[in-house]
Structure formats: structure tokens, C-alpha cells
Amino acid sequence: MDQQHKPLWDGNPKGLSGPFRGGALLDSLADHLNFTYTMVRVTENILEPQPQRKQRGLFNYLFDKQCDLLVTGVAATSERLRVVDLTVPWTYECYAFLIPVQEQIANIFAAIKPFQWPVWLALLISIICVITCLNLLHQEDQLKRPSAVRRAGNYYFYVLGNLLSQGSACTSKRLAVRLVAGVWTLAAFVFVQAYTSILFTYVMAPINPPLINSVYDVIENSDINLLYRKGSTLNVLVSDPEATGIFLKLQNKVKTSNSPQCNLISECINMITPESTNVFANARSFQLDAIRENFEQTGKCGLELARDCFMGIPVTLALPKHSPYTDAVNLGVLHLQESGIVEHWSSWFPSMPGQCERQTKSGHVTRKTEHSLSLKNLTSAFIVLFVGLGFSLFVFGCEILNAICHRHQFLFDDK
């Protein structure tokens, strides 16, 4: 797409918040339908008025004829269709969870994670069984041939050496021994290959896993506090007395956890701190703006999105009921949708800096990982190394003490 298709919208004026594409849409509609407009600055942050609280909503500007077009994320519901005109959807959004970036932790258990505990138990039993079989065969051989060389200790090294990829020779010429050794060699090859291939993925896994991945983590984890803005579409659906499905579960979650709610988006975002377990649900485009603003203020990426979105919603524009401009605006939106320019606008307005970019693949949002490994990635390997060295030093010390005791005993016997 060439430069002339770039929208005239250069960003939200000071005091007006929201995704940039809304302003680009308004500029493009004005150019396509040949009209001029002026913006009405507002202080309300909810759509529907709240008479019981004596609180105005953005729809009041349509009811009072103070504006002809409401350019914001208006999700289509039957209640809203009764009081205002809604256009055809001009984009589609989903709710995403804004979460704090977790602190990096040491990858202590990477060395044992490739196998579940039943596999480790079965492997230990297999080692004991193979060593026992080889020793029994060797003892039988000694009974038949007393002059046979004692090599029981070699079997321990043979069994464990195959698992550690060190290898060891099986010098026995008995067929039974060679069959047991051959079976163990094949089994050890499978174990080692399976372990090393899976170990790589655990070593390379992020050492600061996200707080949650999906809405189901919010529901199932009692430590997670769900935040959403009062007056938002999610608030309307969760507060519905006749809510069902996922919204009923979220409703019960909010009731049992006593999660604090907020009137402004900024209030919700300020509650997302590194040491908290708060998560904020809002439209994904607003969350991307929040990540960008947080980076500009702090100079680091302190916020991120959970992997999975939920509750896809069509985003429309709102006009006064029976407005004479509804059909014209609908045609203008359809024209922009057919041209594909609406989605292309995202490339003109990047919502996140390069340091906080996410790679989107198959609907999943994941973090970029560094190519080099840190010490925290390989913590488990160093733990195994130091434990092994410590055990070796302990055995060495025991051998020295044993040698000293034998020396003193020998001197005492001489006397």
C-alpha cells in the first residue's frame, strides 16, 4: 500500500484516550463521505448512564443531541440496539488479560522434569533388576567354575555407564549374560535419547513463566484477583443475574475473591504490580496501548498479555436512534472493510516498542526469548554437579578416615 493511503490521523489529542484506529476511521469516513467534524471532549468512561448513581454515560451525548457519532468500542448487545443505532462492525476485538511480568527464577528442577515420577521409579526398579540378574548369573557361573574371575563390580559400572552414555564392555561369553546386557543396552539407548531430547526444551523454557495463560487459570486459581472496569462490556455480562457459562464462573470468582474493581482504566493498570496477583481484563487494543505507555514511563517492559484471548466481540459505531446518517456511515464502513485498509492501519500505529514485542502464532501470544542461556537456565545442571562433587568429597573423606583407622589398628597389633 503506497504512502497516499496512510491515514491523516497522527494520534489522539491530549486528553483523549483510546486506540489510534478509531481516529483513523473517522478521518477516512470524513474523506469518503465528504463531511467535516469537530470532537467533543468527554469525561465519562462508561456507555450506558447509571440513573441510580446519578452518573452520565457516553450515550447521553447521543440522547441529548450533543453529538452525531460515537467513535469508541461499542459492542453490539440487544439492550443497546433498543436505544441507539449501531453500525456494521468495523473491526473485531477480543478481551485479553494484562498481567505483570514475573521475576526470573532459577530453573532448579529442569534436570528431573523430562520424566514424570512414575518413569523415574520404573527406571530405578529396572536398574536394580538388571544388576540383580547379572550378579545372579555371575554367582551361578562361580558355582560351576570356582576359578571364574570375580567381576560383579563391573556390572554396576556397565549398567550405570550405559545410562550416562559412557559405555562399558561386557566381557562375559555366556549367552544369558549377553542377552541381558543387550536388552539393557537397547533400553538405555531409548531412555537416554528420550531424556536428552526433552531436557533441551526444559532448559530453554522461560525462567519467568507468565502469571496466567487463559481465563481458565483465572477461574481455577484462588490466588488470582480479576479486575475489570465498571461499565465495560465484560462488567455488563458478568453482572447479569442470568449469566451462564464462563460468565457465571467469573461472577462467582468475583464474589468469592472480593476483587477490587475500578472506575478508570488507569486505576486498574496501577493495580498490576510485580508483587501482586491481579490481572486486568479489557479489549486487546487498549491493553497494547497500556504496555506501550508503561514502557515509555518506566523504560522497561513491566506488563505483558496472557497467552489466550477470550470473548471475541464485534466493534461498532453508535449514532442516535433513527439517525439520518446511519445508512451512509454503514456504507462508508463497508467500503473501508472491503478495501482491507482497516487492518492495515495497525502497521501505521505500532502499539508496542521493539523491546516488548510479542510474536503471534496460531492465536497464541508468546514472548521472545534470548538465544544465549543464562545461569538460571542451567541451575539444575550445576546443582547436580556440585551435589556429585560433594558426595565424592564425602566418600573420599570416609576412605581417608578408614585408612587412618586401619593404620592405627595395624600399629596397635604390632605392639
Side-chain angles (χ1 to χ4, degrees), residues 115 123 158-167 181-197:
F115 290 161
L123 182 59
Y158 175 77
V159 173
L160 297 177
N162 275 285
L163 281 178
L164 298 176
S165 300
Q166 298 302 308
V183 170
W184 176 246
T185 301
L186 178 60
F189 173 78
V190 175
F191 290 142
V192 170
Q193 294 302 316
Y195 177 82
T196 53
S197 60

Side-chain angles (χ1 to χ4, degrees), residues 319-344:
L319 297 91
K321 196 64 179 176
H322 307 301
S323 170
Y325 306 120
T326 301
D327 291 339
V329 174
N330 274 328
L331 290 174
V333 171
L334 288 174
H335 172 78
L336 294 176
Q337 285 280 28
E338 291 174 355
S339 67
I341 196 173
V342 175
E343 294 302 323
H344 183 71

Side-chain angles (χ1 to χ4, degrees), residues 99-107 202-213 301-302 304 358 367-370 374 376-377:
I99 58 178
V101 173
Q102 299 297 289
E103 295 293 332
Q104 292 188 351
I105 57 176
N107 204 356
Y202 281 103
V203 170
M204 293 295 294
I207 52 180
N208 53 340
L211 184 63
I212 62 169
N213 287 316
C301 302
E304 64 178 339
R358 303 294 186 269
R367 286 170 294 186
K368 283 186 174 180
T369 56
E370 299 293 336
S374 67
K376 292 184 177 180
N377 287 104

Side-chain angles (χ1 to χ4, degrees), residues 79-109:
E79 292 79 9
R80 291 170 179 173
L81 282 170
R82 294 192 190 102
V83 295
V84 296
D85 282 351
L86 299 180
T87 65
V88 295
W90 65 275
T91 190
Y92 292 87
E93 273 282 9
C94 69
Y95 263 70
F97 291 104
L98 188 68
I99 58 178
V101 173
Q102 299 297 289
E103 295 293 332
Q104 292 188 351
I105 57 176
N107 204 356
I108 298 176
F109 301 106

Side-chain angles (χ1 to χ4, degrees), residues 209-269:
L211 184 63
I212 62 169
N213 287 316
S214 68
V215 65
Y216 300 104
D217 295 334
V218 177
I219 295 171
E220 296 168 2
N221 192 337
S222 58
D223 295 329
I224 300 298
N225 297 317
L226 174 62
L227 307 178
Y228 52 80
R229 184 177 57 83
K230 292 181 180 179
S232 64
T233 302
L234 181 60
N235 181 37
V236 173
L237 296 173
V238 172
S239 303
D240 187 356
E242 299 180 356
T244 59
I246 196 74
F247 302 111
L248 178 60
K249 294 179 180 180
L250 290 175
Q251 185 182 96
N252 296 332
K253 169 74 177 182
V254 173
K255 289 180 180 178
T256 55
S257 64
N258 296 320
S259 302
Q261 300 308 313
C262 38
N263 294 311
L264 300 174
I265 293 179
S266 58
E267 293 178 1
C268 293
I269 295 175

